[in-house]
Amino acid sequence: MYLKKLHIKSFKGFGDKTEIQFYEGVGAFVGPNGCGKSNIIDAIKWCLGEQKVSELRGERMEDLIFTGSSLSQPHGFAEVEMIFDNSTKIFELPYQEVSIKRRLYRSGEMSYFMNGLASRLKDIHGLLENTGLADLSYSIIAQGKIDKMLSADDSERIILFEEAA
Amino acid sequence: MYLKKLHIKSFKGFGDKTEIQFYEGVGAFVGPNGCGKSNIIDAIKWCLGEQKVSELRGERMEDLIFTGSSLSQPHGFAEVEMIFDNSTKIFELPYQEVSIKRRLYRSGEMSYFMNGLASRLKDIHGLLENTGLADLSYSIIAQGKIDKMLSADDSERIILFEEAA
Amino acid sequence: SKKLLTKTFKVINKNFAQITATLFPQGRGHLELEYSRNPAERKAKIFVQPQGKQVKKLNLFSGGEKTLIMLALMFAIFMTRPSIFCILDEADAALDDENLSQFVKLIEKFKGKSQVLLISHNRKTFQSFEYIYGVTMRGGISKVFSLKVDE
Amino acid sequence: SKKLLTKTFKVINKNFAQITATLFPQGRGHLELEYSRNPAERKAKIFVQPQGKQVKKLNLFSGGEKTLIMLALMFAIFMTRPSIFCILDEADAALDDENLSQFVKLIEKFKGKSQVLLISHNRKTFQSFEYIYGVTMRGGISKVFSLKVDE
Ligand SMILES: Nc1ncnc2c1ncn2[C@@H]1O[C@H](COP(=O)(O)OP(=O)(O)OP(=O)(O)O)[C@@H](O)[C@H]1O
Ligand SMILES: Nc1ncnc2c1ncn2[C@@H]1O[C@H](COP(=O)(O)OP(=O)(O)OP(=O)(O)O)[C@@H](O)[C@H]1O
Ligand SMILES: [Mg+2]
Ligand SMILES: [Mg+2]
């Protein structure tokens, strides 16, 4: 079970459709300051259902849609799709691959898809239940956040262990 | 006008009396994780009158006094002294060198010294008035704090310019 | 339930002690659980003691030491309950050369348990792994190239 | 007083625009002052536009870009009103190789204006300056050695 593909369309700096092929093991992203590395992590968090735009370094959901550049006009919607390998049936579905997709229009309209079928955020959470991705606080160390994660209150920290139990 | 010497006694990890000689130009501190580099900056901030112990990464003022190690018992007080070159008379005092010292006992008793004479925090502030060190927010970038400094509110940021005016 | 939480906690604690012993040579670390019927009152405390040091409070540790403690906690939970992937965005930024090597060794140990995605500016880190992706920005638009490296 | 603040602000803004033009090649930056009789309502806004980008909000910039913006602001104020010293504690941690060189160049430009004390794990940074201090911890006690390097 691993993340096989990531498709990003007009999410933050990804003005052109981007497809990333992943493999099992370790994948390292490198590149100059401001080129879009952390935006890939934001795209993953958002696709998995993140509701707080501050966790994605924005002020409003609209900040997540490509605002244009010297080469292009602002886009009307953003879309991210994650395709997982399901050969070990980590997702309780009869398919070899499972896909989750999220789309946001400038109007604020939001939609979620599972294997191409429109679904609700609740369904996505249900799907992610026993994969360790329902609550990302322990699967992702965001840039510059180690100090904050460690200074969380002892009672906040217990959630990590409960999630694992 | 520059910082010429720094004497640290029992402040944080400095269990042994430490004297650092500085020069004009750039001084670079290097060393492994946890060896005491940022503690030197905390010692400087404290000596210049910092009142918020959270700005010095502690919970109570007592955290600033050497708590002992495998080689030594906890100490009873912490003391930091800064000796400035005053050849350009940046400090309105008739001396070639000006010294500021601060001492804290475990009892909580705190004392300040200017050129060896006991004085009040107010006197230290008065002395630092036109040196750019009265308000350190623009002379020191603390470890890991760039994000926080930049996300301060537009109205908080104005203080920097007022201080410079 | 209480039984499940205390049992899981015990295993995570054992893992945490093991990882901190590697990251802090001759040092040690452990976790303590304060259980309460009321979920809001439950607490999990972290204790770490690097060799020769008496410091107890977490916020008196340095930037690099906090990174190591955080990594130990994350991987301790991971060993007990791996998730599909784990993501580290410049988690090595505060580490010195010695601890950078520890960081790479820790990830190599885990790469069998789950997929790891990491971002780093340290050559020593990204050159240690088999799949490298280059990201560039041209005219305000990001592009990703896969630079699959032979084993 | 209003006159003094607006005059100082204008000079800082000029400096800020100059430094951002070096740190963000073909980019530009400026500051805007919103003055009010009531000090609590006065605001200072920061605008930066790297080449080719349309992003306006500061928090959409990256970790490394925010470091450059912060350095530009600090040194812009410094040029107007230098303080006895300035301290940078691992301010280069988020920078890529290219920007690391810019960081060193910026400090070299300022070292005549005031004393600079810096902490860094990057060899490229600390090897560029003349006075180096080694800090070590033995048995829980810090020691500082001066490794004065010849010019
Ligand atoms: N809505 C948006 N539309 C267009 N571009 C955006 C948008 N939001 C963010 N960006 C771009 O994303 C950039 C920041 O990208 P990101 O934070 O991923 O950089 P990074 O590769 O992680 O850099 P670093 O190494 O400094 O951390 C901004 O400079 C901006 O150009
Ligand atoms: N009151 C105290 N008594 C004894 N030691 C202390 C005290 N407070 C802090 N320390 C020591 O200071 C260390 C942290 O030092 P500091 O933050 O200066 O490290 P650093 O050199 O900046 O490391 P890094 O490169 O990781 O940022 C702690 O590990 C602890 O040993
Ligand atoms: Mg980043
Ligand atoms: Mg430090």
Side-chain angles (χ1 to χ4, degrees):
Chain A
M1 68 183 187
Y2 64 99
L3 174 64
K4 230 175 154 169
K5 288 189 205 121
L6 180 68
H7 295 169
I8 310 176
K9 225 196 272 177
S10 312
F11 180 86
K12 287 200 162 186
F14 291 93
D16 290 342
K17 208 173 144 205
T18 301
E19 303 201 2
I20 307 173
Q21 180 87 23
F22 290 101
Y23 308 91
E24 284 191 277
V26 180
F29 287 82
V30 302
N33 290 135
C35 67
K37 301 181 299 292
S38 297
N39 290 344
I40 295 171
I41 313 304
D42 290 341
I44 289 174
K45 278 184 180 171
W46 185 68
C47 188
L48 292 175
E50 177 63 67
Q51 295 301 305
K52 278 198 232 118
V53 74
S54 59
E55 284 293 316
L56 304 168
R57 300 180 295 155
E59 282 163 27
R60 290 177 318 186
M61 274 296 181
E62 226 182 296
D63 293 341
L64 305 178
I65 305 172
F66 181 68
T67 59
S69 73
S70 59
L71 296 180
S72 149
Q73 290 302 318
H75 291 186
F77 72 93
E79 185 184 285
V80 176
E81 182 177 15
M82 294 170 76
I83 298 164
F84 294 96
D85 165 74
N86 190 33
S87 54
T88 60
K89 293 294 177 270
I90 179 100
F91 295 106
E92 289 155 15
L93 289 172
Y95 310 113
Q96 276 302 93
E97 288 186 355
V98 166
S99 130
I100 297 176
K101 185 160 74 179
R102 186 173 180 180
R103 191 186 290 153
L104 168 71
Y105 290 88
R106 277 207 187 273
S107 63
E109 194 196 320
M110 187 97 74
S111 37
Y112 299 89
F113 301 86
M114 247 154 71
N115 286 341
L117 298 172
S119 46
R120 295 161 307 165
L121 177 61
K122 235 170 79 187
D123 305 328
I124 306 268
H125 277 154
L127 183 72
L128 295 175
E129 203 66 81
N130 290 317
T131 65
L133 296 181
D135 171 357
L136 296 173
S137 58
Y138 254 69
S139 320
I140 296 181
I141 293 188
Q143 188 173 4
K145 291 279 182 272
I146 285 180
D147 230 29
K148 202 164 151 231
M149 285 168 91
L150 213 58
S151 38
D153 200 347
D154 293 337
S155 49
E156 273 170 53
R157 197 172 287 136
I158 191 84
I159 301 168
L160 311 169
F161 300 96
E162 285 170 347
E163 161 76 14
Chain B
M1 64 182 191
Y2 64 98
L3 173 62
K4 230 174 155 172
K5 286 188 207 127
L6 179 67
H7 296 170
I8 311 176
K9 229 196 265 172
S10 311
F11 181 87
K12 288 198 163 188
F14 291 94
D16 291 343
K17 210 175 139 197
T18 303
E19 303 203 3
I20 308 173
Q21 180 85 23
F22 291 99
Y23 308 90
E24 282 190 281
V26 181
F29 287 82
V30 302
N33 290 134
C35 67
K37 301 182 298 294
S38 297
N39 290 344
I40 295 171
I41 313 305
D42 289 341
I44 289 173
K45 276 185 184 171
W46 184 70
C47 189
L48 292 173
E50 177 64 65
Q51 296 299 307
K52 280 200 234 114
V53 74
S54 59
E55 283 294 316
L56 305 167
R57 300 180 293 153
E59 283 162 29
R60 290 192 314 237
M61 274 295 181
E62 230 181 295
D63 292 341
L64 305 177
I65 306 173
F66 181 67
T67 58
S69 73
S70 58
L71 299 180
S72 149
Q73 291 303 318
H75 291 185
F77 73 92
E79 184 184 281
V80 176
E81 181 176 15
M82 295 171 75
I83 298 166
F84 294 95
D85 165 76
N86 191 33
S87 53
T88 60
K89 296 290 177 270
I90 178 104
F91 294 106
E92 289 156 13
L93 288 175
Y95 307 115
Q96 275 303 93
E97 287 186 358
V98 168
S99 131
I100 298 176
K101 187 160 72 180
R102 185 174 181 179
R103 191 185 292 152
L104 167 71
Y105 289 88
R106 278 210 187 266
S107 64
E109 195 195 320
M110 188 94 76
S111 35
Y112 300 89
F113 301 86
M114 243 154 74
N115 288 338
L117 298 169
S119 45
R120 297 163 305 168
L121 177 61
K122 233 168 81 188
D123 305 329
I124 305 269
H125 276 153
L127 184 72
L128 295 175
E129 200 69 85
N130 288 318
T131 64
L133 296 182
D135 172 354
L136 297 173
S137 57
Y138 257 74
S139 327
I140 296 183
I141 292 187
Q143 188 171 4
K145 290 278 181 274
I146 284 180
D147 231 33
K148 208 166 145 220
M149 285 169 89
L150 211 60
S151 38
D153 202 5
D154 294 333
S155 49
E156 275 169 52
R157 197 173 287 137
I158 193 78
I159 301 166
L160 313 171
F161 300 95
E162 286 171 344
E163 160 76 14
Chain C
S1 82
K2 176 170 183 177
K3 219 165 125 233
L4 186 61
L5 182 60
T6 34
K7 195 166 136 272
T8 314
F9 195 88
K10 248 203 200 102
V11 177
I12 292 174
N13 184 22
K14 202 181 98 268
N15 297 339
F16 183 75
Q18 192 188 322
I19 297 174
T20 35
T22 353
L23 294 180
F24 294 95
Q26 280 111 40
R28 49 171 194 280
H30 72 280
L31 305 168
E32 282 178 17
L33 172 67
E34 282 177 30
Y35 188 82
S36 148
R37 275 201 167 300
N38 169 5
E41 283 170 22
R42 291 179 198 157
K43 296 204 162 115
K45 290 188 186 276
I46 301 175
F47 296 93
V48 173
Q49 196 172 357
Q51 188 206 1
K53 299 190 176 185
Q54 291 288 351
V55 171
K56 301 256 185 303
K57 296 183 179 168
L58 273 189
N59 47 3
L60 290 177
F61 284 109
S62 79
E65 290 172 323
K66 281 186 182 167
T67 296
L68 298 179
I69 295 170
M70 196 60 209
L71 291 169
L73 188 60
M74 179 173 179
F75 284 110
I77 294 177
F78 243 69
M79 281 169 80
T80 320
R81 199 204 135 78
S83 96
I84 292 187
F85 57 65
C86 106
I87 294 177
L88 303 168
D89 190 349
E90 303 198 23
D92 57 351
L95 299 179
D96 59 28
D97 281 350
E98 167 75 34
N99 284 324
L100 212 51
S101 314
Q102 292 284 8
F103 175 72
V104 170
K105 273 195 211 127
L106 188 66
I107 293 173
E108 277 178 349
K109 216 175 108 190
F110 276 94
K111 67 184 198 198
K113 280 213 176 285
S114 80
Q115 182 182 33
V116 177
L117 306 179
L118 68 86
I119 295 173
S120 172
H121 288 296
N122 282 309
R123 205 168 294 288
K124 194 168 168 172
T125 301
F126 60 79
Q127 285 183 338
S128 314
F129 303 110
E130 59 270 39
Y131 302 106
I132 297 183
Y133 301 86
V135 186
T136 63
M137 173 87 68
R138 245 189 278 295
I141 294 181
S142 293
K143 291 241 179 298
V144 182
F145 304 95
S146 164
L147 316 165
K148 192 160 160 2
V149 182
D150 291 337
E151 285 293 354
Chain D
S1 79
K2 176 169 183 173
K3 224 165 118 239
L4 185 60
L5 182 62
T6 33
K7 199 166 132 267
T8 315
F9 195 88
K10 244 198 208 108
V11 177
I12 293 175
N13 185 21
K14 205 180 96 267
N15 297 337
F16 183 74
Q18 195 188 324
I19 298 174
T20 34
T22 349
L23 294 180
F24 294 95
Q26 280 113 39
R28 52 172 191 279
H30 73 280
L31 306 167
E32 277 175 24
L33 172 67
E34 280 174 35
Y35 188 82
S36 150
R37 273 198 176 292
N38 168 4
E41 284 172 22
R42 292 179 198 155
K43 289 187 198 288
K45 290 185 186 287
I46 302 177
F47 297 92
V48 173
Q49 195 173 356
Q51 190 206 357
K53 300 191 178 187
Q54 291 289 350
V55 171
K56 300 253 186 306
K57 294 181 181 172
L58 273 188
N59 46 10
L60 289 178
F61 285 112
S62 81
E65 290 174 323
K66 280 185 182 168
T67 296
L68 296 179
I69 296 170
M70 195 61 210
L71 290 169
L73 187 57
M74 179 173 179
F75 283 109
I77 294 176
F78 244 64
M79 279 168 84
T80 321
R81 197 201 130 84
S83 97
I84 293 188
F85 57 64
C86 105
I87 295 179
L88 302 168
D89 190 349
E90 303 199 23
D92 57 352
L95 300 178
D96 60 28
D97 282 349
E98 167 77 35
N99 283 324
L100 213 49
S101 314
Q102 292 284 8
F103 175 71
V104 170
K105 276 198 209 114
L106 188 65
I107 293 173
E108 277 176 348
K109 216 173 109 193
F110 275 94
K111 66 184 197 195
K113 279 212 179 286
S114 83
Q115 182 180 33
V116 177
L117 306 180
L118 68 87
I119 295 174
S120 172
H121 288 295
N122 282 311
R123 206 168 291 291
K124 194 168 166 173
T125 300
F126 61 79
Q127 283 180 338
S128 314
F129 301 111
E130 58 274 34
Y131 302 108
I132 297 182
Y133 302 86
V135 187
T136 63
M137 172 82 73
R138 246 186 277 297
I141 294 181
S142 295
K143 292 246 180 294
V144 180
F145 306 93
S146 165
L147 317 167
K148 190 160 164 356
V149 182
D150 291 337
E151 280 294 355

